Amino acid sequence: GHTILFGSASMSIAPSFYKKLPFDTLRDFEPVTQVTSRYNLLVVPAGSQLNSVKEVVALAKAKPGYVSYGSGGGTGSSDHLAGELLALTSGTRMLHVPYKSGPQVVTDLIGGQLVIYMGGVPVSLPMVQTGKLKALGVSSLKRIAQLPNVPTIAEAGVPGFEVNVWYGLFAPRATPPKIVGKIAADAARILKAPDTRERYATLGADAE
C-alpha cells in the first residue's frame, strides 16, 4: 500500500532553479537508498568534422554561442547542467536547447539541428554502437568499459571535469522507519544480484 518514488539528481537540482515547487525535497520525502548512477557522453553526429573535445572547445571559443547542445530533461536537468559545466570549465559560451526527452535530442543531433549532445550514456550509447553518433568524451574520471577507446573529458582537454548523475528511491516523509528499512534492504539485495549489475552495466550505469 505504499507509493515509492524513483527519483533522480533533479530532486536536489530543482530547488535551486525554481522559486515555487509543489514539493519540498527535504520536508516531504524520506530517502530510502541510492539505486544507480550514470555518466554523460559528449557526442556529435557521425558526419561531424569535430573529432575531439579540444576541437569542440576551440570551435566554441572561436564562435561564442554557436555550439548548440540539447538537454533531454529541459532547463534545470542534469543534461543541461552538464553542458553548462562544460562551457564554464572550458571558458566558452554555448547555446542550450531544451527538449522533453533524450531520444528527441538524439534525433535532431543526427539530423544536424544541434552541434553536440552531453546526454546520459544509456541514451547515446546505442547510437554510438550503430555508428550514427561519434563519442568524443565521457564525463567520468575513468574511462568506461563500454567505450574503452573514448577518453574522459578531463583527459581530453578539460581538467577536473566530471558529471555523475544519481538515481534513488524515496518514500513519503511519514513512512515508518521499519518500512523504509525493509524497502532499502530488499533493494540492496536486488542490486547485488549479478544479473542486475550486468543489466545496468550494459546501459552504461553502475548499480549502487
Side-chain angles (χ1 to χ4, degrees):
H2 296 281
T3 298
I4 304 300
L5 171 66
F6 184 78
S8 70
S10 295
M11 297 283 288
S12 57
I13 294 172
S16 299
F17 264 82
Y18 303 101
K19 292 182 178 180
K20 292 184 179 181
L21 289 171
F23 63 87
D24 183 305
T25 302
L26 297 178
R27 181 196 65 206
D28 300 332
F29 299 98
E30 182 69 37
V32 178
T33 186
Q34 183 171 330
V35 174
T36 184
S37 62
R38 55 88 173 161
Y39 300 102
N40 285 53
L41 199 60
L42 174 57
V43 294
V44 296
S48 172
Q49 295 183 353
L50 297 170
N51 293 299
S52 69
V53 174
K54 287 185 177 180
E55 289 182 6
V56 171
V57 172
L59 178 61
K61 286 184 176 180
K63 297 182 177 181
Y66 172 78
V67 175
S68 58
Y69 70 94
S71 64
T75 302
S77 65
S78 57
D79 287 1
H80 174 205
L81 296 189
E84 287 298 311
L85 182 61
L86 179 63
L88 179 66
T89 53
S90 63
T92 62
R93 181 165 60 85
M94 302 182 187
L95 176 64
H96 170 231
V97 183
Y99 286 77
K100 292 183 178 180
S101 70
Q104 290 178 324
V105 181
V106 170
T107 297
D108 276 7
L109 180 67
I110 294 174
Q113 281 77 47
L114 298 167
V115 178
I116 65 171
Y117 179 37
M118 271 287 291
V121 173
V123 176
S124 301
L125 184 60
M127 295 296 103
V128 172
Q129 292 172 330
T130 57
K132 293 182 179 180
L133 293 177
K134 287 190 295 187
L136 304 185
V138 62
S139 71
S140 55
L141 291 180
K142 295 182 179 180
R143 298 190 183 196
I144 60 175
Q146 294 81 7
L147 298 168
N149 295 325
V150 176
T152 68
I153 294 173
E155 69 176 308
V158 188
F161 185 91
E162 181 187 18
V163 172
N164 183 3
V165 183
W166 56 262
Y167 296 83
L169 299 179
F170 294 82
R173 176 58 73 178
T175 305
K178 184 177 180 180
I179 298 299
V180 172
K182 177 65 167 59
I183 297 171
D186 288 345
R189 174 176 51 80
I190 294 170
L191 290 170
K192 288 179 181 178
D195 57 341
T196 301
R197 304 186 73 82
E198 182 179 348
R199 175 57 178 161
Y200 273 119
T202 61
L203 297 173
D206 298 323
E208 300 294 339

